[in-house]
Amino acid sequence: MCLSTEVARLENPDIRAAFQSGLDWMERFVMKPHPHLGRKGAVCPFVHPAHEGKRLYFCAIDCREMCFELFLEVMMAVPALFGRIAEQLTTRRDLLSLCIFPINLPVANYYKFVDCAHSILKPIYMVAGLMIGEFHPLSTATGAHSEGIRPLRADVPFFAARSMAVHDKLFIDRASGSVGQRIHELECYLRWTRSSLSLEDIARCTARIDELKHQLIGDEDHADAAV
């Protein structure tokens, strides 16, 4: 593991190449505005301050001969690692970001080791107060504000974990998720951001959770009646 500002010093050529490719893409795309983003500012406002503030860490997992189950087991340990790093920081813990690069991952496995893994890991990371993003060259995910941008289409595959923030409401409670998943995400969001939310936002979030729970009960009753 190393800081994003120390990538050039790494001795392992495979890890250095993956980290440098990821960093180059971040500097070229993520840290800058985009005409199709749908809002002002950088594609991700977190990355540049984290990089410049020495709060952006990179680590690698060699997936050359790793099975999917073992990969998930390793990724499950990331929230604890994130917590240990955070404990060592005395300032700007809010900027801490950890990027995990699955090096030597065949292109044919991107869908499983990145996209599917993200679907499995996100609910677990959110319990720990973390958001996790998934990036790879074949990503088809569109932006939260515009379908004219592919913000997760990176030059190399990697995951990015950081502490949950108020604006993460954009990335949860989406129509594509199940009702149960959306309730879980909102409950985690409210737990970890409550101190930064206004009373009105807390009330809206609580009301939305109650609404979804009633919807879930209604769907279950409908399913029982159908049987």
Side-chain angles (χ1 to χ4, degrees):
M1 185 170 65
C2 75
L3 284 167
S4 59
T5 53
E6 299 176 353
V7 171
R9 302 178 185 177
L10 293 175
E11 295 183 1
N12 185 298
D14 292 338
I15 295 178
R16 185 175 63 248
F19 287 3
Q20 191 61 58
S21 293
L23 181 58
D24 289 346
W25 176 76
M26 293 177 198
E27 292 179 327
R28 184 179 72 248
F29 177 72
V30 179
M31 298 184 191
K32 296 183 178 181
H34 191 282
H36 301 301
L37 185 59
R39 61 166 173 78
K40 296 180 179 180
V43 172
C44 179
F46 280 92
V47 181
H48 186 264
H51 174 62
E52 293 295 326
K54 299 185 185 299
R55 293 294 184 268
L56 179 59
Y57 287 81
F58 289 172
C59 65
I61 302 173
D62 192 342
C63 297
R64 190 188 308 274
E65 297 180 0
M66 183 175 287
C67 67
F68 185 56
E69 293 80 3
L70 179 57
F71 177 73
L72 288 176
E73 184 177 338
V74 174
M75 288 295 296
M76 293 285 192
V78 169
L81 172 62
F82 188 98
R84 290 195 296 271
I85 298 172
E87 289 175 356
Q88 298 174 10
L89 302 177
T90 57
T91 60
R92 299 310 309 265
R93 290 183 179 180
D94 59 309
L95 289 180
L96 177 59
S97 299
L98 178 60
C99 293
I100 307 97
F101 291 77
I103 64 172
N104 297 315
L105 179 66
V107 174
N109 284 342
Y110 285 176
Y111 79 94
K112 179 181 289 187
F113 280 70
V114 183
D115 295 324
C116 291
H118 175 263
S119 297
I120 296 169
L121 295 167
K122 182 181 177 182
I124 298 168
Y125 278 51
M126 290 192 71
V127 170
L130 302 179
M131 293 296 288
I132 180 172
E134 78 288 9
F135 306 83
H136 64 81
L138 304 182
S139 175
T140 59
T142 57
H145 297 281
S146 171
E147 294 187 357
I149 186 174
R150 298 288 186 272
L152 307 183
R153 185 173 291 177
D155 292 347
V156 290
F158 71 94
F159 295 88
R162 59 165 174 78
S163 295
M164 204 175 298
V166 170
H167 84 276
D168 286 323
K169 181 67 169 60
L170 290 169
F171 308 117
I172 62 175
D173 190 20
R174 291 188 167 185
S176 58
S178 67
V179 175
Q181 175 186 346
R182 293 157 74 179
I183 293 171
H184 171 78
E185 291 177 349
L186 284 165
E187 288 178 337
C188 290
Y189 174 80
L190 186 58
R191 174 189 174 190
W192 289 100
T193 66
R194 179 183 288 270
S195 62
S196 300
L197 296 174
S198 67
L199 293 177
E200 292 78 8
D201 287 337
I202 292 174
R204 278 193 290 268
C205 191
T206 301
R208 179 58 175 159
I209 291 172
D210 291 341
E211 177 187 356
L212 288 171
K213 285 184 175 180
H214 281 101
Q215 180 180 331
L216 184 63
I217 294 173
D219 289 345
E220 290 177 349
D221 290 344
H222 178 75
D224 291 341
V227 173

